[in-house]
């Protein structure tokens, strides 16, 4: 055995088969991601071309793309964009209300007390059995007849919150049921009451489970909040787009601007959501 | 001497299934009782009736002088069940540690929440019992970072921190990899030496033989035979006990042989 080897140029050790296969898989994955990215780019260009206003003839074929009034866009885009904060605000308030209601409804649905169970299932059934749009205008148009006048914003938040709460109660119910029976038994065996078990053991675990799907609901809410524009008093994105579109006879342009803002918001929040999910999934199991 | 646990004419039905048939049993202070038997013989159900994780269908459960009759409902009943649960500690097959809490938080949770103990006092208690199970250095880890054996030792410390009158073990080593069983049994042996009253449902016959004051063989919801391990394991009087022991002991011997086989000795 030689202990004092001469300093030789160290060569990287030959790659193992596992490494080679792994690298091959990585390459394939990168290739796929790149191709998808390029295809998205092409689709964007096509969409842009569709609205470019270019006209040309190819022999007998005459092509005419949609013309967008860019002066209008430049003039009014900032006004419509200002509605984004209202859209996000309504959605955030509504999701807060919805989360609270969903949690109560889920607990009610799991209750052994008949009245509590009934109230919970009744609420969910009523809300899910009627259109969201009807609910939004109901709170704004029907309640004043009973002497209850809600500002448009609050009517909207109430309607959206009640509606999403009913749908989201399933998320919370699933979250609570996802906590194993063993956790309940451990809590009970330690002498906890039902309330203590729920608050200290079951709900903390159930809420972790429910956070990513709640994020998804928020993204859906961003778009459904557009229904509140029907009240005419909440100056969110769609309301603004309709207002300037109608008064200038530029509905096409106005609605395209609104669509772009909704889409961008969705993309941004979806990216945030993906991060959140990654973060919530770390460790565990 | 008043018994710590006293079951009188206990019956339990799951639907139409009669899983416990007129069980009467007393566990004396500092006694270690091992329940053995085939799966489905009712031994786990019997254990779970002691702290009302299963509600007995008939009979009376008495723990530390507090007698609770079966089949009663209502607020006083709930209160009595609660009082019994405070007097009993339970260790589960699947550990059931709270995954969202650290090791120390798992242990102080019940003393603080259930007993209203000041946090500092509970932590001191937690340190004492974590030290006892040899895991004080893991106090800030989360359960998912522990091995099965470590999880079960934390679960034991968690139950001990409520300072129960009796510890109930429901197949505490059945979910463990074979090489991790020893560390859990070691902790349990130590508890037995210190005079902890224990009721243990187990398949570890060598543990029962070494530690139990009394071994109870159950079959079809009944206590078939009971007595000191020397007698049960060497001269069982009932044929069913004999057959059961023949089968499990042969398995134990096979495992021992495997462990000592030449392939395992030389690596």
């Amino acid at each position: 055995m030689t202990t004092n080897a001469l300093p030789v140029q160290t060569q990287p050790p030959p790659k193992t088969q596992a490494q080679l296969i792994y690298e091959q898989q990585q390459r394939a994955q990168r290739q796929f991601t790149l191709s998808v990215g390029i295809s998205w780019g092409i689709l964007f260009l096509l969409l842009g071309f569709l609205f470019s206003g270019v006209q040309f003839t190819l022999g007998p074929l005459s092509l005419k793309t949609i013309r967008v009034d860019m002066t209008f866009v430049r003039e009014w885009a900032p006004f419509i964009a200002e509605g984004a904060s209202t859209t996000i605000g309504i959605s955030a308030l509504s999701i807060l209300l919805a989360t609270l209601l969903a949690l109560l409804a889920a607990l009610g649905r799991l209750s052994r007390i008949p009245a509590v169970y009934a109230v919970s299932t009744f609420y969910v059934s009523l809300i899910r059995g009627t259109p969201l749009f009807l609910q939004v205008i109901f709170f704004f148009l029907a309640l004043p007849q009973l002497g209850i006048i809600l500002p448009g914003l609050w009517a909207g938040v109430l309607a959206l919150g009640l509606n999403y709460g009913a749908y989201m109660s399933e998320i919370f119910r699933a979250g609570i049921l996802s906590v194993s029976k063993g956790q309940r038994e451990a809590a009970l065996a330690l002498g906890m009451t039902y309330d203590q078990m729920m608050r200290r053991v079951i709900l903390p675990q159930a809420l972790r489970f429910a956070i990513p799907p709640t994020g998804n609901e928020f993204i859906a809410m961003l778009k459904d909040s557009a229904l509140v524009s029907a009240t005419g008093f909440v100056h969110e994105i769609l309301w603004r787009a309709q207002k300037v579109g109608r008064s200038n006879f530029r509905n096409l342009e106005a609605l395209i601007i609104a669509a772009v803002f909704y889409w961008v918001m969705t993309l941004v929040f979806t990216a945030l959501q993906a991060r959140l999910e990654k973060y919530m999934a770390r460790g565990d199991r | 001497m008043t018994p710590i646990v006293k079951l009188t004419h206990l019956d339990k039905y799951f639907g139409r299934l009669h899983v416990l048939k007129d069980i009467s049993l007393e566990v004396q202070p500092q006694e270690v009782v091992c329940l053995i038997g085939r799966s489905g013989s009712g031994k786990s159900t019997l254990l779970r009736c002691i702290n009302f994780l299963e509600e007995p269908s008939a009979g009376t459960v008495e723990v530390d002088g507090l007698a609770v009759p079966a089949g009663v409902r209502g607020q006083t009943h709930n209160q009595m069940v609660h009082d019994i649960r405070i007097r009993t500690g339970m260790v589960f097959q699947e550990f059931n540690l709270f995954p969202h809490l650290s090791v120390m938080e798992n242990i102080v949770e019940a003393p603080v929440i259930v007993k209203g103990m000041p946090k500092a006092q509970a932590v001191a208690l937690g340190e004492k019992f974590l030290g006892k199970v040899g895991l004080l250095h893991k106090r800030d880890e989360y359960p998912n970072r522990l091995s099965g054996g470590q999880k079960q030792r934390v679960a034991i410390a968690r139950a001990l921190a409520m300072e129960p009158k009796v510890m109930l073990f429901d197949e505490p080593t059945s979910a463990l990899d074979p090489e991790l069983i020893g560390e859990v049994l070691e902790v349990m042996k130590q508890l037995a030496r210190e005079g902890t009253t224990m009721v243990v449902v187990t398949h570890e016959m060598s543990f029962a033989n070494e530690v139990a004051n009394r071994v109870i063989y159950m079959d079809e919801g009944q206590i078939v035979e009971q007595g000191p391990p020397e007698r049960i394991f060497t001269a069982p009087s009932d044929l069913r006990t004999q057959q059961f022991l023949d089968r499990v002991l042969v398995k134990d011997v096979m495992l021992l042989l495997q462990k000592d086989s030449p392939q395992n000795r030389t690596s």
Side-chain angles (χ1 to χ4, degrees), chain A residues 172-195:
Chain A
F172 285 84
R173 196 168 79 96
I176 292 169
L177 291 177
S178 77
V179 181
S180 75
K181 194 170 158 236
Q183 293 288 311
R184 284 155 215 274
E185 290 187 342
L188 293 176
L190 285 166
M192 290 192 197
T193 62
Y194 180 84
D195 282 0

Side-chain angles (χ1 to χ4, degrees), chain A residues 182-183 185 188 191 200 284, chain B residues 48 82 85 97 100 109 144:
Chain A
Q183 293 288 311
E185 290 187 342
L188 293 176
R200 309 287 307 185
D284 249 357
Chain B
R48 290 159 57 85
H82 178 253
R85 285 175 177 162
L97 292 178
H100 58 300
E109 182 74 4
N144 61 347

Side-chain angles (χ1 to χ4, degrees), chain A residues 54-128:
Chain A
V54 179
Q55 295 184 43
F56 57 94
T57 42
L58 277 172
L61 211 65
S62 163
L63 270 174
K64 192 171 161 190
T65 61
I66 301 163
R67 242 183 91 82
V68 174
D69 180 352
M70 287 312 288
T71 345
F72 175 86
V73 170
R74 269 193 296 276
E75 192 175 349
W76 291 107
F79 174 76
I80 296 173
E82 273 170 46
S85 59
T86 310
T87 290
I88 293 172
I90 294 175
S91 304
L93 284 174
S94 305
I95 208 83
L96 272 176
L97 176 63
T99 304
L100 188 68
L101 289 171
L103 190 57
L104 291 175
L107 287 172
R109 179 75 198 277
L110 293 168
S111 169
R112 291 268 184 79
I113 305 166
V116 175
Y117 181 92
V119 167
S120 161
T121 47
F122 190 83
Y123 157 62
V124 173
S125 172
L126 176 67
I127 296 293
R128 300 223 287 199

Side-chain angles (χ1 to χ4, degrees), chain B residues 2-44:
Chain B
T2 48
I4 296 279
V5 177
K6 185 176 171 188
L7 309 177
T8 336
H9 300 301
L10 213 64
D11 276 277
K12 173 67 184 173
Y13 291 86
F14 284 130
R16 286 199 198 133
L17 209 62
H18 200 176
V19 286
L20 290 181
K21 297 168 185 162
D22 192 28
I23 301 270
S24 291
L25 172 68
E26 287 187 4
V27 180
Q28 303 301 331
Q30 309 211 329
E31 196 182 9
V32 177
V33 174
C34 283
L35 295 170
I36 62 171
R38 290 184 295 127
S39 52
S41 59
K43 52 195 193 313
S44 276

Side-chain angles (χ1 to χ4, degrees), chain B residues 58-75:
Chain B
T60 306
V61 175
E62 192 178 322
V63 175
D64 193 33
L66 183 76
V68 183
V72 191
R73 296 221 170 270
Q75 204 51 51

Side-chain angles (χ1 to χ4, degrees), chain B residues 229-247:
Chain B
E230 309 80 89
R231 191 178 69 67
I232 298 286
F233 285 122
T234 53
S237 55
D238 194 282
L239 184 64
R240 286 172 289 178
T241 319
Q242 264 171 41
Q243 284 172 341
F244 171 76
L245 287 175
D246 281 349
R247 237 174 327 158

Side-chain angles (χ1 to χ4, degrees), chain B residues 137-153:
Chain B
H137 58 293
K138 297 283 187 190
R139 55 182 292 164
D140 296 320
E141 285 287 9
Y142 279 82
N144 61 347
R145 308 257 310 185
L146 303 179
S147 73
Q150 290 171 335
K151 282 181 193 167
Q152 196 58 300
R153 283 148 68 197

